[in-house]
Amino acid sequence: MGRLGLIGLLAVLWLVGSVRAQNEVWNPISGVYLPPAGHSPISKCRILLETALANHLSYDSGAWGEIAVDLEEIRLTPQMYAPTPWGELSAQVPIRLYYGGFLDYLLNPIHEALRMPMSPLPPQTYLSMRRQGQPPHEITAPVFGVGDLVLGWAVTGSGKSWGRLSLALPLGDSSRYLGSGGFRLAVVVGWDEETWGLLGQIALPFGPQPLFGDFGTRPSLGLRGWTGLPWDLPGRLELQATTSPLQIGGEFAAVIVALRYVPGKFSFSEDVTPALPDVALTWQEEWGCPW
């Protein structure tokens, strides 16, 4: 929590725009598995492009093995939402780049002052999962590629309620941590008021997930709440928690919690628990459909 002061910098960069939920940024292991929770449907055909920049530095080991993440991630996610008489249909696919990055040069002095773990310089690309007594599944060089396609169907219910059903299709290469290698199904139920909202999500593995191997896979439960800010300040605060899809993995198999500030088209996320990005920035552009 030592970098919450950067929220002030993002507020200066705030652009006037609608404040909508943006996709979560988890660690690369949970992130390629969990379908985005999304937001309530609206009666407008639209195309979105979301960009995320995240600095990852997480490590845990034990009798079960070892997981290590030290890299920077850039994620571009084209999305399309189309209203129909039967609800809103959507499709999105992330394009990921794992590389050494540049944020370590900015964050290491802060980490040093707060006596927190620091990344080695120059920045490296390292991601590894290893079960005890087995060879590691690792990447040590930059990776670029398409992730898993997520198809969605969302409907509104009584009052301010809404629901979304998502199916993730394994297009990403699990050997390079671009996808889980298997199908997943997610169900989201939410309630949105003018100044606050709440949603719950369950994500289920639909068959084998080769990325996780002997670490095992289990259903993942998530909860996200948001509230507007007092004194007519722009944006909102979000708190999101989810259980890891890993059965085994120390901190990577525990509940992960992130705090996010969304002032408009931008958002800033800060890790509350281990096994999350140190810093995650996202920004989103939206256009109407050309037809």
Side-chain angles (χ1 to χ4, degrees):
M1 299 298 293
R3 296 162 303 281
L4 286 176
L6 289 177
I7 291 178
L9 176 61
L10 285 180
V12 175
L13 298 175
W14 172 65
L15 296 177
V16 175
S18 59
V19 179
R20 291 203 185 98
Q22 300 185 22
N23 286 349
E24 304 84 358
V25 182
W26 304 120
N27 64 66
I29 299 167
S30 296
V32 299
Y33 172 87
L34 293 169
H39 50 77
S40 57
I42 62 174
S43 56
K44 175 186 175 183
C45 183
R46 60 204 192 280
I47 297 172
L48 283 76
L49 179 63
E50 182 176 287
T51 304
L53 171 64
N55 182 268
H56 299 277
L57 177 62
S58 302
Y59 176 83
D60 199 14
S61 64
W64 49 269
E66 179 185 59
I67 298 179
V69 185
D70 185 6
L71 51 80
E72 203 159 287
E73 176 185 1
I74 294 178
R75 186 185 70 196
L76 301 177
T77 308
Q79 309 169 40
M80 188 179 74
Y81 299 86
T84 74
W86 310 279
E88 180 187 74
L89 301 180
S90 63
Q92 58 179 289
V93 59
I95 303 168
R96 285 186 163 90
L97 170 65
Y98 300 136
Y99 72 121
F102 64 92
L103 288 177
D104 287 336
Y105 292 104
L106 305 177
L107 297 176
N108 271 5
I110 301 174
H111 286 187
E112 183 177 15
L114 298 174
R115 298 183 178 180
M116 298 172 64
M118 295 186 296
S119 295
L121 295 177
Q124 63 177 340
T125 304
Y126 186 71
L127 176 52
S128 174
M129 299 176 68
R130 180 181 62 83
R131 288 285 278 137
Q132 191 67 35
Q134 298 182 10
H137 172 196
E138 65 182 13
I139 57 173
T140 58
V143 169
F144 176 76
V146 173
D148 291 345
L149 172 67
V150 178
L151 304 177
W153 172 60
V155 295
T156 56
S158 59
K160 301 295 182 66
S161 65
W162 59 277
R164 182 177 299 276
L165 179 67
S166 298
L167 175 65
L169 308 178
L171 296 186
D173 184 352
S174 62
S175 69
R176 300 194 298 154
Y177 289 92
L178 294 172
S180 75
F183 295 86
R184 289 93 68 206
L185 189 68
V187 178
V188 177
V189 177
W191 185 281
D192 278 345
E193 294 286 350
E194 289 296 324
T195 58
W196 64 272
L198 188 68
L199 67 81
Q201 178 187 37
I202 180 170
L204 303 169
F206 194 55
Q209 308 293 317
L211 173 65
F212 299 143
D214 292 338
F215 284 85
T217 313
R218 62 185 176 185
S220 178
L221 301 175
L223 187 66
R224 183 174 78 201
W226 66 268
T227 180
L229 299 176
W231 310 302
D232 295 324
L233 292 173
R236 69 190 193 190
L237 284 178
E238 296 182 358
L239 185 66
Q240 184 159 4
T242 187
T243 61
S244 171
L246 289 177
Q247 289 183 351
I248 302 168
E251 293 176 347
F252 290 85
V255 176
I256 46 181
V257 182
L259 179 66
R260 181 159 55 175
Y261 171 52
V262 188
K265 295 180 180 180
F266 291 89
S267 77
F268 170 85
S269 297
E270 176 68 20
D271 54 325
V272 178
T273 58
L276 280 174
D278 285 339
V279 170
L281 310 174
T282 65
W283 55 99
Q284 192 178 86
E285 290 294 337
E286 178 179 326
W287 303 271
C289 297
W291 50 85

